[in-house]
Each structure stands twice: as structure tokens, then as C-alpha cells.
């Protein structure tokens, strides 16, 4: 159908129509004249269609009302009056993306699907949710998703409970989250950005039902909405649906949701804030210092792109001059920075972690000295060229991994659209990029430094100091506050709270009526392709190296994975493998100093990354292949340069610069200190499985064991630095060997010859000596650790290996994962327990983990895991309908059928090859999933019960709660010292 500018289609007037070359899409911008809704459509051949509706939602306080409303609108609506439509969609749709997201000034509700019918169903449920939610007349929804007073009986201790309350307690357990909040509170004291839109746990309990409802009524109107459609679709039909089903029922109103500009500061603001660490934890080298500047505007496409590049130039590579100066000055152990562009007034942050309070003045002086020198004397032109090149590569590549392209484009659109500017200015990036490319050699970035950073007093210097007393004192204050509140209640009010707690629990435990559940639209099993996606791989032998070619369209980009078998590395030296992965490319090589290496890499390639992972055999976790993987990408025309650089790095890295090694190790330690709690789910799962699984034991060496290794290295750096360098050299020489190498290459067929011609450049730099593989003596022992931190919530894991308990793998276990995650564990641990989430994972190797995250509970969660057998014993054709089973199967398949980029398809085929997983194996698993019946799930009860009775567990969380449950654990471990 042909659309004409100025014409109206189903109530939508077309304001602008143009082709955006950069994303190869036809853009159409509409306004719905009656309701005031704005709509942008990006039409193209992408079958992964995206819909979203976004509302501008500036917070007026830190109670987290935008975030809690985001959770709550998805808890039932006019057409779908059940408790959890979102969960029903996750269980029973073919979505490729389904979520909701709260930002500092907006709330997004995006969905994606490749199936037309499913796509319309998702749109319908989401639109009904945002415009007609049950939360407006059901106070229990705020109580569940936000917060409530929990009082099981009149003698019990009064506590706070709620999903967002506990989620944000988890967020605020990380110092970097506290720092980010304090930065925006300092820079924007007079605008919504000064508040915590996600919610500060200290203020969340101040939110009332009246404020909650009022916020929705004010902002959730079409006149305050931004509707986005992307992909290959019938636009006219979708406009017709939007108008007829929803927008025709609304009349345009004036909504005051404008984001005000913060008045510029006349001078820098200085702020010092404490954050909690454990009572026994050292406070030395635990301070964060950050200089923060309001720089540019999100609505200016040139400064938007230019300042992103400038931050990369200054901080993000080993050649970055500001990063180098801060580390050389001994200011902290970790340098970090960011350019946050997704707010009206973007911010530039330069910071250090692992510092001390007395270093604040020197930090500030060093930053300004470097910026002034760069502005006056100029930046290294090769460094600038390398950063501009890497940005251009990623813009043109548009590789967003598992995220649908449409979702990423939607967010970029909102970076201007939300602030009343054209939504296409950041997608049509070519004019801004071309101007920067033409001018960067002539002082472009130096001028940005002068105008946006040095001559700009809108700055805040924020220091975050560790305090080993405030965690316990705040917990005691909170406990006393609740006790005092309870003391002030009458017996009738206490009885009312007990009744309210029971009523909420009853509501949570009462299943929705089957006839109401059937209102949620469902695709059918016949809509699912019964065939497993084909592994695209051709096996070749090039100069003695096995090469797996994945011939796919890549727009002339080559994606390379180099897999080096590490089986000859001694057991005592395994942590050095992970250290090598962290520092490779950041140390000198025989040909380049590390700073020059970084420039060359960014000029000629799309970047390198390194990791270590042991891949278990198809169905046996005791047989595995440990690999050091190098991931690289470049234009096909740049393959000779790529292989030359990879040869220099793998065959010629030097580990003799003691000062550089110390710098990198200190930086790693500081990074892990702040990231450990955020990785809690991963840490406890890997730790748990390491008790009994050889492949998991190997991989865990890169998790908590690695952190402890780095801590120990850092404590003895001066004495050990020479030995560290020698060991790294030894490990590097052992693994970077012609005989150890297997390569995966994803490119077009006609480009394979260019790969073959360039390969000798790499092979000539690798060793050829044969190293004998070693045997690792991993001892199976259930240590059942309680990993203690200053955190306010827990990550609780329990599991085992079902193969060694006498059970085999079956595809129905994948369906069980869906059932447990979105039914049993969701209801018991998230809805009733107040945790942010929970999951169960069953692997082909036999390893199984049940886990919760951001969980206020500990022993109660373990009881829920143990009681899974009762749930499964009751899972029969009499208790679970055929429709419900269909839903679970569809939800399982949707997680397996997420569209993959060519790079991801190549990696998937590589892993299948290494693990000896055949196309037949994948098809058998899919067949078993599609054929799963209630009885198959029921029969897994014995497997789960046997695993749980083995009593293998691991918990990362708050020291007080772990100590209060010490009888559950074999060992109590202080994680951060």
C-alpha cells in the first residue's frame, strides 16, 4: 500500500516519510489525531518484528513509582483479568523479546516476534495492560510488586516485603549503583534526574496506593505515548488495529511530562557519601572518586556521537591518555568512565575505584591537567583515528547479539523523540559521522574538550567512601523503626495487618480460573517449525589446522573464533589462563608497545576478545575440552592485518613489564570487588556445581576461585611479580601452539579464499612444540558454602548431577525449566517470597541448578526447592490441562528459536562440533520437547527429589542472615576482605 504525507490512515496522519539508508529502512512518522499518540514505523525485510509503547515518566521522588507501575500494569487488565498476563505470555508465546524497562525519564514496553499471529497477540495484551490495568482498583498489586508490611501473626516481627523493594535492595548492594545515584542527585538537584526512578529502598515504603494510581492516570495516556513498529509487516492493518482496538477510545489531553533543563552550575558541586562494607572488611583502597560533567544535548546528533567517541578516546583503550595518567599517578586501581547519552542532558563521567579519600584533590588535579594538556597540545591522531574507526565499524555492522535490531533502534529514536525532536536523527548517523571523519585531524575533539569539559562549570565531584559500621546500623535502624511502628498500632490495627498479610498470601496462592486463563491468546503447536535450525558448518583442513566454515551472508565482515586447547596447562597454573584472557592485548608484544597495539587493533579490525571455557562432551560432564578462545572480527579486506595482529598477540606478547602487570592486576581486583555481588547468580551456580562436576570445577576457576587468586596476587605483588610474568609466558607458550588450534570462520563462500591466503600470517607466529596433556585431580566434595558479603539480599542455589544419580537427559527437561521458572518458582519465590526471580537449569551433561536472585529469604527458599517434588507429583493430566501443556511447550521453543546473528550461528555450530552434538541430537531434543506430555513432567519428580535430597547448596548474601542459618552450611566464607 502506498502512503502519502499529509493523508490520514485509520486516524493516523502521516507527517513524514523517508528512507534511512544507514539502516536500510523506510521510516514513516504519524500522529493519531484524536488521541495524540505518536507513532514511528521502520519498514524493512527483517522478519523479527518489534512493537513497543513508551511513556515519558519523570519521577517526582525516589519511591520508585515509575518502576513499580512498570511491574504492576502487567499484573492483569480489562480484557485479561488474571494475575500475571506477562508470565502467561512468556510461557505460551513465540516471542523473541518480551519485557518492560524503566529508565530515568521513560518507561518502555517492547515485544518482538517472527510470527504474525503471535505478534498481534503480544501487542493486544501489552496495550490492554498499559491502558486498562487492574492495579488501579487492586491494592494487593502494589503490595506484591512494590512493598507492604508483612506480619504473619501478631507475635511476629514486622518486616517490609515486595518484589521491587527487594530488587532495589539488591541493586543498592553494589557500590557502583550507589555512586551512579549520587552522581545524578548531584548534577540534577532540580530535575527528575535527581531522583531514583527505580526506587531507593529507604523511600519505597513511602509510596501510597493513591500516589501509585495518580502516577498511572497522569502519564499513561496515548497523548504521552511513543508507539514504535519495526520490520516486515502490514502497516495498514496494524494502524487499523491500534485505532479500532484502543486509540479511538481516547481524546487528546495536555499532559505535563516535559523534562526540564537543569540550570547550569556556576561552580563545581562537591559531595562525599558513605557506602556499607562488611564489619570485618578492610576499608583501605575501597573509595570511589568520580568527576561528572553535564555535556552536550541528546538532541544534537553530532555532539551525541562525538562525545561518545571522546569518552572512548580518553578512557576505553590501553592507549587512552586520561586512563594512563590516572593509573600512572597511583590514583586507584581501576579507571572507569561513561557517556550517558539517554537523558536530555547527557553526562560524562571520569572515575577511579580502589582509591582512598585523601587522593581526591590529586585525582581532580590530574584530570584537569590531562584535559588542559590535550586541548592545548592536541590528541594523538592515530589514537583518534582508531576510536573513530571502531565506532564506524560497529555502526555499520549493527550486530546487537540476541537483542532484536528494532529494539536497539527504538531506544536510539527515543534519545531525540522523547525530547520533542525528530526520532530519526541518531539512526541517520552518516552526516554527523562524515563531519567528524573530516575534522578529527583538525582539532575537532580538542575543541570538544575545551567547550564541553573545561569551560563548563556544570560539574560534580563525588566521593564514595566505605564504612564498615553503617550497614549494621542501618539494618538496626530499619528494624527499630518497624518495631516502633508496630508498638504504636492498636490491637485492631495489628489484627488488620495480619489479615492483610494472609489475604495477600491467599490471593497469591489461588490459581486463576481456567476460563480466565483462556482469554490470553495462544498460538498453536502447528505454528511451530518441527525442524531444529540447521547447524551451518563445512569442515576443512588448512595447513594442518581444522577449520569449520560457516558460509553465511555477513556483509563482507569475517567473524573468527580461534580455539586453543589448554589441556597441557598444569592444574596449579589454571588461574593464570583466566588472567591471561584478562590481560592479553593490554601488554606489549615483540612488535608493538601495548598502546600502539590498541590503536592498530581499532584501526584495522572490529576488535578482539578473549575467554576461557571448558566444553563438556555431549552427555558426560567428566569428559570435557578446555579451550582458550580468541574472538575477532574485521572486514574481509582487512584479514591480513587481523591475522598479523593476532599473531603478534598470541605468539609475541611480553610479560616482562612489571609496572604494567601490577597495574592490570590491581585494576582486575578493583573491578571484581564491585562486580562480584552483581554476578551473584553466576558465582553461586558455578561454585555449587564445582563441588561435584569436573567440567564445572574447571570453569569455576574463572569465577570466585579466580577472584580469590587475584586478591592473593595483589597482596604480594612486589614479591611475586617476576614469577607472575614467567608463569604467564609459560602458559602462553603452552597454549598458543599450531598443534592446539581449531578455527571457526563465518563469512560468505566467496570470501573463504581470502581467509585461507591470510592464515599463514598467524600460523607463522605460533609455536609448533607438542605438549603432553595433563590430568586434573578435581576432588568431588560438597562444601555447601555460605559466602558472606555486606549485601542486603541473597543468591540461593541448590543442585547436583542427575546422570551420576542414575538418570538420563530428555528434552522434556527443557519444558520443566519453563514450568518451574514461570509457574512453581515464580509463584513461590518471587510472588510469595518477594525475590526478584528464580530459575531451574538442566544440562545435557547432567548438571542441574535451582537458583534465586535478589532474594530476601534463605532457608525458606531452600524449602521451596525441596518441595518441588510435591508440585511435580501433582502434575498430571487431571490437574494440568492440555492447553497449559501446549503453552509450556511453546514458551520453551520460543527461548530456543531466538533469531541469531551470523556470528552467533557460527559460534553455535563451533560449540556443537567441540561437544560432539550432532544435528540428529538437536532434532531429537526438539522432537522430545514438542511431544512432552503431563506424564513426562510428572515422571521427573523422582529425579528432582533425588537431587534435592543430596543436599548440595551454595548461598551468596548478607553476613547476618547467613550466620543466622549457619547450621545449613558446611563452611562460612567472607568473600570480600
Amino acid at each position: 500500500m502506498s502512503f502519502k504525507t499529509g493523508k490520514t490512515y485509520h486516524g493516523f496522519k502521516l507527517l513524514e516519510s523517508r528512507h534511512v539508508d544507514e539502516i536500510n529502512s523506510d521510516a514513516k512518522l504519524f500522529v493519531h489525531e484524536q488521541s495524540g499518540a505518536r507513532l514511528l514505523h521502520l519498514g524493512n525485510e527483517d522478519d523479527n518484528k518489534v512493537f513497543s509503547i513508551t511513556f515519558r515518566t519523570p519521577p517526582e521522588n525516589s519511591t520508585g513509582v515509575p518502576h513499580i507501575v512498570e511491574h504492576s500494569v502487567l499484573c492483569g487488565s480489562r480484557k485479561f483479568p488474571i494475575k500475571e498476563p506477562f508470565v502467561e505470555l512468556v510461557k505460551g508465546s513465540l516471542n523473541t523479546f518480551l519485557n518492560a524497562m524503566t529508565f530515568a525519564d521513560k518507561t518502555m514496553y517492547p515485544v518482538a516476534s517472527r510470527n504474525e499471529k503471535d505478534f498481534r497477540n503480544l501487542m493486544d495484551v501489552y496495550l490492554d495492560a498499559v491502558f486498562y490495568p487492574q492495579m488501579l482498583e487492586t491494592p494487593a498489586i502494589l503490595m506484591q510488586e512494590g512493598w507492604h508490611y508483612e506480619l504473619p501473626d501478631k507475635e511476629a516481627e514486622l518486616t517490609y516485603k515486595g518484589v521491587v523493594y527487594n530488587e532495589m535492595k539488591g541493586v543498592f548492594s553494589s557500590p557502583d549503583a550507589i555512586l551512579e545515584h549520587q552522581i545524578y542527585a548531584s548534577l540534577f538537584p532540580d530535575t527528575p534526574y535527581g531522583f531514583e526512578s527505580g526506587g531507593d529502598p529507604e523511600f519505597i515504603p513511602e509510596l501510597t496506593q493513591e500516589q501509585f494510581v495518580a502516577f498511572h492516570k497522569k502519564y499513561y495516556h496515548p497523548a504521552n505515548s511513543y508507539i514504535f513498529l519495526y520490520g516486515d509487516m502490514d502497516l495498514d492493518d496494524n494502524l487499523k488495529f491500534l485505532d479500532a482496538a484502543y486509540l479511538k477510545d481516547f481524546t487528546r489531553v495536555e499532559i505535563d511530562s516535559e523534562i526540564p533543563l537543569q540550570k547550569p552550575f556556576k561552580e563545581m558541586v562537591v559531595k562525599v557519601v558513605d557506602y556499607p562494607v562488611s564489619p570485618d572488611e578492610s576499608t583501605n583502597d575501597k573509595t570511589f572518586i568520580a568527576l561528572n560533567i553535564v555535556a552536550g544535548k541528546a538532541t544534537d546528533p553530532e555532539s551525541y556521537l562525538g562525545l561518545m567517541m571522546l569518552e572512548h578516546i580518553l578512557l576505553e583503550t590501553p592507549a587512552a591518555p586520561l586512563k594512563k595518567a590516572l593509573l600512572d599517578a597511583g590514583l586507584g586501581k581501576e579507571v572507569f568512565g561513561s557517556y550517558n547519552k539517554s537523558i536530555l542532558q547527557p553526562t560524562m563521567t571520569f572515575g577511579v575505584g580502589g582509591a582512598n579519600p585523601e587522593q581526591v584533590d590529586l585525582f581532580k588535579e590530574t584530570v584537569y591537567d590531562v584535559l588542559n594538556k590535550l586541548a592545548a597540545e592536541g590528541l594523538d591522531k592515530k589514537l583518534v583515528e582508531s576510536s573513530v574507526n571502531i565506532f564506524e565499524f560497529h555502526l555499520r555492522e549493527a550486530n546487537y547479539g540476541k537483542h532484536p535490531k528494532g529494539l536497539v533502534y527504538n531506544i536510539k529514536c527515543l534519545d531525540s523523540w522523547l525530547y520533542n525532536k525528530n526520532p530519526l536523527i541518531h539512526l541517520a548517523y552518516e552526516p554527523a559521522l562524515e563531519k567528524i571523519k573530516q575534522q578529527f585531524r583538525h582539532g575537532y575533539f580538542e575543541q570538544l574538550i575545551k567547550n564541553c569539559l573545561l569551560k563548563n562549570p556544570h560539574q560534580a565531584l563525588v566521593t564514595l567512601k566505605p564504612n564498615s559500621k553503617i550497614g549494621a546500623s542501618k539494618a538496626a535502624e530499619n528494624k527499630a523503626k518497624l518495631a516502633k511502628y508496630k508498638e504504636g498500632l492498636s490491637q485492631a490495627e495489628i489484627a488488620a495487618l495480619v489479615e492483610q498479610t494472609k489475604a495477600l498470601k491467599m490471593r497469591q496462592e489461588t490459581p486463576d480460573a481456567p476460563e480466565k486463563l483462556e482469554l490470553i491468546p495462544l498460538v498453536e503447536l502447528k505454528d511451530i517449525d518441527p525442524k531444529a535450525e540447521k547447524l551451518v558448518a563445512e569442515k576443512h583442513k588448512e595447513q594442518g589446522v581444522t577449520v569449520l566454515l560457516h558460509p553465511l551472508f555477513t556483509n563482507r565482515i569475517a567473524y573468527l573464533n580461534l580455539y586453543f586447547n589448554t589441556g597441557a596447562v598444569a592444574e596449579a597454573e589454571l588461574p593464570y589462563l583466566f588472567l591471561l584472557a584478562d590481560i592479553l592485548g593490554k601488554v606489549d608484544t615483540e612488535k608493538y608497545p601495548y598502546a600502539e597495539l590498541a590503536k592498530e587493533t581499532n584501526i584495522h579490525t572490529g576488535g578482539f576478545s578473549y575467554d576461557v571455557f571448558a566444553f563438556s562432551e555431549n552427555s558426560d560432564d567428566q569428559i570435557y575440552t578446555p579451550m582458550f578462545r580468541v574472538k575477532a572480527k574485521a572486514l574481509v579486506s582487512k584479514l591480513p592485518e587481523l591475522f598479523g595482529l593476532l599473531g603478534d598477540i598470541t605468539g609475541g606478547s611480553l610479560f616482562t613489564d612489571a609496572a604494567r602487570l601490577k597495574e592490570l592486576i590491581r585494576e582486575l581486583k578493583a573491578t571484581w570487588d564491585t562486580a562480584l555481588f552483581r554476578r551473584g547468580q553466576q558465582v553461586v551456580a558455578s561454585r555449587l556445581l564445582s563441588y561435584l562436576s569436573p567440567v564445572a570445577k574447571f570453569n569455576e576457576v574463572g569465577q570466585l576461585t579466580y577472584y580469590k587468586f587475584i586478591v592473593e596476587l595483589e597482596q604480594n605483588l612486589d614479591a611475586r611479580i617476576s614469577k607472575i610474568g614467567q608463569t604467564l609466558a609459560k602458559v602462553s607458550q603452552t597454549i598458543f601452539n599450531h598443534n592446539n588450534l581449531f578455527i571457526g570462520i563465518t563469512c560468505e563462500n566467496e570470501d573463504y579464499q581470502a581467509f585461507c591466503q591470510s592464515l599463514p600470517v598467524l600460523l607463522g607466529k605460533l609455536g609448533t612444540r607438542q605438549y603432553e596433556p595433563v590430568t586434573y585431580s578435581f576432588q568431588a566434595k560438597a562444601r555447601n558454602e555460605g559466602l558472606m558479603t555486606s549485601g542486603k539480599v541473597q543468591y540461593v542455589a541448590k543442585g547436583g548431577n542427575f546422570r551420576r544419580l542414575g538418570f538420563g537427559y530428555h528434552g522434556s527437561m527443557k519444558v520443566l525449566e519453563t514450568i518451574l521458572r514461570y509457574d512453581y518458582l515464580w509463584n513461590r519465590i518471587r510472588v510469595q517470597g518477594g525475590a526478584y526471580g528464580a530459575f531451574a537449569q538442566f544440562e545435557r551433561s547432567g548438571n542441574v541448578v535451582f537458583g534465586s536472585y535478589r532474594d530476601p529469604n534463605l532457608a525458606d527458599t531452600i524449602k521451596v526447592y525441596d518441595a518441588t517434588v510435591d508440585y511435580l507429583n501433582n502434575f498430571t493430566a487431571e490437574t494440568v490441562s492440555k492447553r497449559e501443556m501446549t503453552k509450556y511447550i511453546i514458551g520453551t521453543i520460543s527461548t530456543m528459536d531466538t533469531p541469531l546473528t551470523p556470528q552467533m550461528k557460527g559460534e553455535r555450530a563451533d560449540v556443537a562440533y567441540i561437544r560432539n552434538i550432532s544435528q540428529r541430537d538437536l532434532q531429537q531434543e526438539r522432537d522430545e520437547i514438542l511431544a512432552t506430555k503431563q506424564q513426562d513432567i510428572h515422571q521427573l519428580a523422582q529425579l528432582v527429589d533425588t537431587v534435592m535430597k543430596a543436599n548440595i547448596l551454595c548461598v551468596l548474601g548478607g553476613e547476618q542472615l547467613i550466620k543466622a542459618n549457619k547450621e545449613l552450611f558446611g563452611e562460612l566464607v567472607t568473600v570480600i576482605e
Side-chain angles (χ1 to χ4, degrees):
M1 176 177 175
S2 177
F3 289 82
K4 294 185 178 178
T5 305
K7 297 287 186 182
T8 299
Y9 305 87
H10 309 292
F12 287 92
K13 184 177 181 179
L14 181 58
L15 304 177
E16 180 185 354
S17 180
R18 60 176 282 200
H19 185 74
V20 183
D21 290 333
E22 291 86 340
I23 59 170
N24 194 26
S25 299
D26 291 315
K28 293 180 175 61
L29 185 61
F30 297 88
V31 63
H32 189 262
E33 294 181 292
Q34 180 183 319
S35 71
R38 309 158 187 82
L39 185 143
L40 174 66
H41 173 244
L42 297 179
N44 48 55
E45 295 181 357
D46 193 341
D47 70 343
N48 194 17
K49 295 171 278 293
V50 174
F51 158 81
S52 88
I53 183 164
T54 299
F55 300 92
R56 194 158 55 190
T57 51
E60 297 169 11
N61 52 48
S62 291
T63 60
V65 60
H67 187 190
I68 298 169
V69 168
E70 173 234 298
H71 278 239
S72 300
V73 299
L74 295 168
C75 291
S77 65
R78 173 193 62 175
K79 287 168 67 174
F80 310 105
I82 61 172
K83 290 181 293 182
E84 301 271 11
F86 172 78
V87 178
E88 296 306 311
L89 287 177
V90 173
K91 287 192 289 191
S93 82
L94 292 171
N95 75 85
T96 56
F97 188 87
L98 184 75
N99 212 334
M101 298 172 283
T102 302
F103 295 81
D105 54 15
K106 58 184 173 284
T107 309
M108 284 184 74
Y109 297 89
V111 299
S113 180
R114 303 168 83 175
N115 180 283
E116 294 272 1
K117 179 181 174 184
D118 188 51
F119 183 67
R120 176 60 58 82
N121 292 345
L122 294 170
M123 285 176 65
D124 195 18
V125 174
Y126 262 47
L127 285 163
D128 204 65
V130 297
F131 290 131
Y132 302 104
Q134 289 185 334
M135 57 160 270
L136 299 177
E137 60 273 347
T138 310
I141 293 175
L142 170 60
M143 292 167 60
Q144 173 180 294
E145 296 299 318
W147 78 278
H148 67 275
Y149 289 114
E150 179 90 353
L151 191 65
D153 59 70
K154 65 179 183 178
E155 304 301 329
E157 180 184 356
L158 186 67
T159 58
Y160 293 128
K161 213 169 193 182
V163 173
V164 170
Y165 178 75
N166 286 311
E167 176 189 352
M168 297 311 294
K169 277 176 70 178
V171 169
F172 275 72
S173 293
S174 298
D176 48 347
I178 299 171
L179 178 63
E180 183 179 353
H181 172 57
Q182 293 298 336
I183 287 170
Y184 289 103
S186 302
L187 288 174
F188 302 104
D190 308 314
T191 83
Y193 297 133
F195 299 114
E196 177 53 62
S197 64
D200 182 334
E202 193 173 331
F203 297 104
I204 288 172
E206 294 178 5
L207 179 63
T208 67
Q209 175 71 15
E210 292 72 28
Q211 293 168 333
F212 178 62
V213 169
F215 189 89
H216 179 275
K217 288 188 173 178
K218 179 175 181 179
Y219 294 119
Y220 280 63
H221 186 283
N224 190 44
S225 72
Y226 302 78
I227 299 172
F228 179 83
L229 293 168
Y230 167 91
D232 185 7
M233 64 180 65
D234 185 335
L235 175 60
D236 184 70
D237 187 56
N238 279 305
L239 295 180
K240 181 180 179 182
F241 165 73
L242 287 165
D243 174 63
Y246 291 97
L247 299 182
K248 70 174 176 54
D249 297 326
F250 292 87
T251 303
R252 186 194 294 254
V253 294
E254 290 298 319
I255 296 172
D256 180 16
S257 64
E258 292 283 326
I259 312 297
L261 286 168
Q262 173 65 51
K263 188 177 178 181
F265 295 172
K266 293 181 179 177
E267 60 183 14
M268 174 190 287
V269 168
V270 177
K271 191 170 189 178
V272 181
V273 183
D274 286 357
Y275 76 95
V277 294
S278 297
D280 299 330
E281 187 177 334
S282 167
T283 57
N284 193 45
D285 296 341
K286 297 282 177 68
T287 293
F288 297 81
I289 311 168
L291 176 65
N292 314 280
I293 307 170
V294 173
K297 273 195 174 179
T299 52
D300 175 4
E302 189 187 313
S303 70
Y304 177 96
L305 185 56
L307 284 164
M308 270 196 287
M309 291 179 177
L310 179 61
E311 191 272 334
H312 187 268
I313 292 165
L314 294 173
L315 289 178
E316 299 300 337
T317 76
L322 181 54
K323 179 176 184 177
K324 187 175 187 306
L326 290 168
L327 290 172
D328 287 349
L331 288 161
K333 301 172 181 177
E334 169 199 21
V335 175
F336 60 87
S338 64
Y339 181 65
N340 179 9
K341 63 193 185 307
S342 290
I343 56 177
L344 175 60
Q345 294 172 275
T347 60
M348 184 79 80
T349 291
F350 308 127
V352 292
N356 290 292
E358 62 271 16
Q359 295 178 304
V360 172
D361 289 341
L362 181 58
F363 167 80
K364 177 182 168 185
E365 182 183 313
T366 304
V367 172
Y368 281 122
D369 283 351
V370 171
L371 293 178
N372 277 302
K373 185 177 180 183
L374 294 173
E377 300 177 12
L379 287 153
D380 179 326
K381 293 298 181 280
K382 191 172 183 182
L383 170 63
V384 173
E385 180 188 358
S386 71
S387 286
V388 172
N389 178 77
I390 202 76
F391 267 82
E392 180 174 8
F393 184 95
H394 292 311
L395 281 170
R396 299 198 190 288
E397 180 192 26
N399 182 349
Y400 304 113
K402 288 187 177 181
H403 289 110
K405 275 188 184 180
L407 173 64
V408 179
Y409 292 158
N410 186 190
I411 293 171
K412 285 188 178 183
C413 289
L414 289 164
D415 287 348
S416 55
W417 199 14
L418 198 77
Y419 314 119
N420 307 317
K421 297 295 183 181
N422 191 291
L424 304 175
I425 59 175
H426 298 312
L427 296 180
Y429 58 77
E430 203 68 63
L433 176 63
E434 192 56 37
K435 182 176 179 183
I436 293 169
K437 285 168 66 178
Q438 288 176 2
Q439 296 186 9
F440 77 78
R441 289 185 178 84
H442 310 291
Y444 180 84
F445 289 104
E446 290 81 354
Q447 205 60 43
L448 273 186
I449 292 173
K450 290 176 188 174
N451 295 339
C452 294
L453 306 183
L454 292 174
K455 295 179 180 178
N456 174 8
H458 196 157
Q459 303 186 11
L461 183 64
V462 179
T463 303
L464 195 66
K465 295 192 309 177
N467 187 320
S468 57
K469 297 177 182 177
I470 60 170
S473 66
K474 281 193 173 182
E477 282 172 22
N478 196 48
K479 193 170 184 175
K481 177 183 174 183
L482 285 162
K484 185 177 179 181
Y485 177 77
K486 185 183 177 187
E487 285 172 16
L489 297 174
S490 67
Q491 288 302 309
E493 288 170 326
I494 288 176
L497 270 184
V498 171
E499 187 54 40
Q500 177 182 283
T501 301
K502 288 179 179 176
L504 178 60
K505 190 175 182 185
M506 177 67 73
R507 181 181 190 272
Q508 292 167 336
E509 291 177 350
T510 304
D512 290 302
E515 62 272 17
K516 288 188 176 181
L517 286 171
E518 289 180 11
L519 294 171
I520 296 287
L522 193 67
V523 294
E524 300 174 67
L525 288 181
K526 67 181 182 181
D527 295 317
I528 295 174
D529 187 345
K531 296 290 184 187
E533 186 169 355
K534 189 168 178 57
L535 296 169
V536 181
E538 298 174 5
K539 188 175 177 180
H540 297 261
K541 201 82 169 179
E542 306 294 347
Q543 301 181 56
V545 175
T546 298
V547 176
L548 217 57
L549 167 65
H550 316 292
L552 296 164
F553 175 75
T554 60
N555 203 21
R556 305 311 302 275
I557 293 173
Y559 295 100
L560 272 151
N561 283 344
L562 311 180
Y563 299 88
F564 292 92
N565 191 305
T566 68
V569 175
E571 185 173 338
E573 294 168 352
L574 289 182
Y576 283 92
L577 274 176
F578 295 89
L579 178 58
L580 184 65
D582 276 334
I583 69 172
L584 214 58
K586 300 173 186 174
V587 295
D588 296 345
T589 67
E590 291 170 356
K591 185 173 182 180
Y592 296 109
Y594 67 85
E596 288 302 310
L597 178 66
K599 296 173 199 172
E600 291 290 327
T601 299
N602 286 338
I603 285 172
H604 295 295
T605 78
F608 303 150
S609 64
Y610 314 88
D611 61 12
V612 180
F613 199 80
F615 298 93
S616 64
E617 185 72 13
N618 188 340
S619 58
D620 190 341
D621 73 316
Q622 303 200 58
I623 303 173
Y624 58 92
T625 308
M627 293 285 200
F628 189 106
R629 178 169 60 180
V630 182
K631 298 171 71 170
K633 56 188 174 182
L635 295 172
V636 170
S637 61
K638 289 282 190 177
L639 278 172
E641 290 85 352
L642 178 144
F643 277 122
L645 288 164
L646 284 179
D648 290 328
I649 292 168
T650 56
S653 285
L654 304 174
F655 306 99
T656 52
D657 185 341
R660 180 60 176 163
L661 287 178
K662 289 179 186 178
E663 199 174 84
L664 290 169
I665 289 167
R666 287 176 179 139
E667 186 176 1
L668 282 167
K669 161 70 164 54
T671 301
W672 269 92
D673 281 346
T674 57
L676 188 72
F677 200 79
R678 274 205 317 273
R679 299 176 182 177
Q681 185 180 333
Q682 194 176 351
V683 167
V684 295
S686 70
R687 193 73 171 180
L688 167 80
L689 291 174
S690 75
Y691 299 157
L692 69 153
S693 167
V695 68
K697 178 67 175 177
F698 184 99
N699 288 326
E700 198 282 327
V701 175
Q703 293 290 328
L704 185 59
T705 295
Y706 179 58
Y707 171 65
K708 291 290 189 183
F709 167 73
I710 293 295
V711 169
E712 199 264 335
L713 284 189
E714 200 236 10
Q715 288 170 347
N716 300 279
L717 262 183
D718 290 332
R720 296 185 55 178
I721 198 64
S722 177
K723 182 71 182 304
I724 292 169
Q726 291 168 15
T727 309
L728 283 167
K730 177 185 173 185
V731 168
S732 178
Q733 187 179 46
T734 303
I735 62 172
F736 295 132
N737 204 292
H738 189 289
N739 306 303
N740 290 346
L741 180 59
F742 152 68
I743 298 177
I745 168 76
T746 304
C747 65
E748 290 151 61
N749 256 319
E750 58 265 33
D751 293 325
Y752 182 64
Q753 201 53 44
F755 159 80
C756 295
Q757 289 167 357
S758 304
L759 182 59
V761 179
L762 167 68
L763 298 182
K765 298 285 185 72
L766 300 178
T768 55
R769 177 181 164 187
Q770 288 278 14
Y771 288 88
E772 288 298 316
V774 297
T775 302
Y776 301 131
S777 57
F778 294 150
Q779 299 300 313
K781 180 187 176 185
R783 295 173 63 180
N784 288 19
E785 294 162 299
L787 306 173
M788 300 184 296
T789 73
S790 61
K792 304 177 187 74
V793 289
Q794 284 61 243
Y795 297 84
V796 183
K798 191 169 186 184
N801 184 284
F802 57 77
R803 285 192 182 274
R804 283 200 287 287
L805 295 172
F807 300 91
Y809 179 76
H810 190 271
S812 60
M813 291 178 182
K814 288 294 162 191
V815 182
L816 179 57
E817 286 183 0
T818 303
I819 293 168
L820 294 179
R821 182 164 199 161
Y822 295 111
D823 190 73
Y824 177 68
L825 296 178
W826 179 280
N827 288 326
R828 294 291 302 278
I829 290 177
R830 179 183 162 110
V831 174
Q832 296 169 36
Y836 187 50
F839 66 95
Q841 184 175 314
F842 297 80
E843 299 177 359
R844 283 178 175 273
S845 64
N847 288 332
V848 54
V849 175
F850 281 52
S852 70
Y853 41 100
R854 294 178 183 169
D855 188 345
N857 307 305
L858 199 165
D860 287 348
T861 295
I862 293 171
K863 289 176 184 174
V864 171
Y865 297 159
D866 291 344
T868 307
V869 61
D870 300 327
Y871 172 81
L872 296 178
N873 279 332
N874 195 42
F875 199 99
T876 64
E878 289 72 39
T879 59
V880 180
S881 69
K882 184 178 178 181
R883 186 179 191 273
E884 282 296 294
M885 276 311 300
T886 299
K887 192 188 299 179
Y888 292 132
I889 292 167
I890 291 168
T892 303
I893 290 292
S894 79
T895 63
M896 302 175 70
D897 286 359
T898 301
L900 303 177
T901 64
Q903 181 182 18
M904 292 162 68
K905 288 180 180 179
E907 287 180 10
R908 181 170 175 262
D910 288 346
V911 172
Y913 174 80
I914 295 167
R915 296 187 62 194
N916 287 318
I917 296 173
S918 66
Q919 189 71 40
R920 177 182 290 182
D921 293 329
L922 295 176
Q923 187 60 54
Q924 179 181 336
E925 179 183 60
R926 192 176 184 89
D927 291 344
E928 289 169 354
I929 289 169
L930 290 171
T932 298
K933 303 289 189 291
Q934 293 93 328
Q935 188 62 22
D936 298 308
I937 302 299
H938 176 77
Q939 288 175 353
L940 291 170
Q942 185 185 353
L943 179 154
V944 171
D945 191 38
T946 305
V947 169
M948 291 301 139
K949 282 179 176 171
N951 198 38
I952 300 170
L953 59 91
C954 182
V955 177
L956 175 77
E959 182 174 357
Q960 288 179 312
L961 191 57
I962 286 178
K963 283 184 174 177
N965 290 274
K966 62 184 179 182
E967 71 281 357
L968 295 173
F969 301 104
E971 300 176 38
L972 299 187
V973 180
T974 299
V975 174
I976 300 177
E977 299 174 358

